[in-house]
């Protein structure tokens, strides 16, 4: 089955710097890759997603890139702010899988003022 | 719309007890999911459903059961609670098998 590895497990940046979180997946049939943000004690919330027919997607300060050949995808956050501090999860899902998401282990991002 | 709601918010169970975690969505979503999240870990899929009357196992189904008699409700049943089932349980729903909306979670402690 699908396996998703996420790195790093923790990431500390200064306010205004960029942050990059990387994930690799094992199943070449996976075609949907969302990123979730989870603040302490809260539910995961979708922040951006990408499908396998697209190489890059941007939404203001957030971007996701996908390399299907290498089977990895990354989250890029520019001009980080203290409110970006949270745990970020990547996930992967395959076609005809009923939306089953396999999650990475999470990255705890800390943005220092 | 209330979105995805879960009850209870928190529960303490003794080993061997049973309980049902409730999940309801008012968005008319066909797809519903149950995840567990252990401290400091990612989410693991327990069971999912692609529509009323249809359920299937996820990554970690042992010790749990589900039913989907209506589009709105997707309860998760623990029959014989074990300490290993101490976790936070999230229910989620989606219109298509992609964008999933999560409920607020149920924190379960088994002692």
């Amino acid at each position: 089955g699908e396996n998703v590895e996420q790195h790093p497990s923790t990431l500390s940046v200064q306010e205004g710097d960029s942050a990059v979180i990387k994930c690799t997946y094992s199943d070449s049939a996976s075609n949907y890759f969302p990123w979730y943000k989870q603040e302490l004690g809260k539910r995961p919330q979708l922040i951006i997603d990408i499908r396998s027919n697209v190489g890059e997607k941007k939404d203001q300060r957030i971007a996701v890139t996908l390399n299907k050949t290498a089977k990895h995808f990354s989250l890029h956050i520019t001009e980080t702010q203290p409110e970006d501090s949270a745990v970020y999860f990547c996930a992967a899902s395959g076609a005809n899988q009923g939306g089953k998401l396999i999650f990475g282990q999470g990255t705890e991002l800390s943005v220092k003022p | 719309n209330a979105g995805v709601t879960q009850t209870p918010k928190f529960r303490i169970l003794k080993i061997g007890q049973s309980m049902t975690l409730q999940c309801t969505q008012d968005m008319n979503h066909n797809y519903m999911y149950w995840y567990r999240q252990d401290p400091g870990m990612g989410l693991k899929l327990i069971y999912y459903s692609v529509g009323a009357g249809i359920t299937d196992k996820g990554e970690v189904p042992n010790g749990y059961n589900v039913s989907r008699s209506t589009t709105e409700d997707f309860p998760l049943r623990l029959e014989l609670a074990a300490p290993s089932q101490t976790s936070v349980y999230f229910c989620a729903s989606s219109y298509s098998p992609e964008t999933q909306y999560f409920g607020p979670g149920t924190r379960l402690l088994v002692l």
Side-chain angles (χ1 to χ4, degrees), chain A residues 35-39 43-48, chain B residues 100 102:
Chain A
W35 285 88
Y36 284 83
K37 176 183 180 181
Q38 187 177 31
E39 297 176 347
R43 74 190 79 185
Q45 293 197 307
L46 179 71
I47 55 171
I48 196 168
Chain B
Q100 295 185 20
F102 283 80

Side-chain angles (χ1 to χ4, degrees), chain B residues 40-91:
Chain B
M41 302 293 287
L43 293 95
K44 297 288 187 182
L45 182 66
I46 305 172
Y47 270 95
Y48 69 105
S49 169
V50 301
I54 305 170
T55 63
D56 207 346
K57 296 178 180 179
E59 298 173 270
V60 289
N62 291 346
Y64 307 94
N65 277 299
V66 294
S67 60
R68 185 92 183 275
S69 56
T70 67
T71 299
E72 295 78 20
D73 300 306
F74 191 39
L76 178 71
R77 179 82 177 163
L78 282 71
E79 290 295 349
L80 292 170
S84 60
Q85 294 177 306
T86 292
S87 191
V88 179
Y89 291 84
F90 288 101
C91 178

Side-chain angles (χ1 to χ4, degrees), chain A residues 3-19:
Chain A
N3 183 52
V4 178
E5 297 287 335
Q6 183 173 347
H7 300 280
S9 57
T10 61
L11 180 59
S12 181
V13 300
Q14 289 295 130
E15 182 177 0
D17 287 350
S18 295

Side-chain angles (χ1 to χ4, degrees), chain A residues 19-107:
Chain A
V20 181
I21 303 170
K22 299 181 179 180
C23 289
T24 59
Y25 61 98
S26 61
D27 189 350
S28 57
S30 290
N31 62 354
Y32 175 65
F33 308 93
W35 285 88
Y36 284 83
K37 176 183 180 181
Q38 187 177 31
E39 297 176 347
L40 188 63
K42 301 290 183 63
R43 74 190 79 185
Q45 293 197 307
L46 179 71
I47 55 171
I48 196 168
D49 56 13
I50 192 168
R51 292 163 182 81
S52 59
N53 58 348
V54 176
E56 183 176 3
K57 183 177 179 180
K58 289 183 179 180
D59 183 3
Q60 299 182 336
R61 297 186 296 108
I62 294 173
V64 58
T65 58
L66 172 65
N67 183 326
K68 287 192 294 182
T69 303
K71 290 190 283 188
H72 67 71
F73 56 111
S74 300
L75 177 71
H76 305 254
I77 306 174
T78 59
E79 301 173 21
T80 54
Q81 301 167 3
E83 50 265 40
D84 294 329
S85 296
V87 179
Y88 292 80
F89 293 97
C90 64
S93 177
N96 302 317
Q97 292 289 309
K100 289 167 56 178
L101 286 177
I102 304 301
F103 281 84
Q105 299 89 335
T107 296

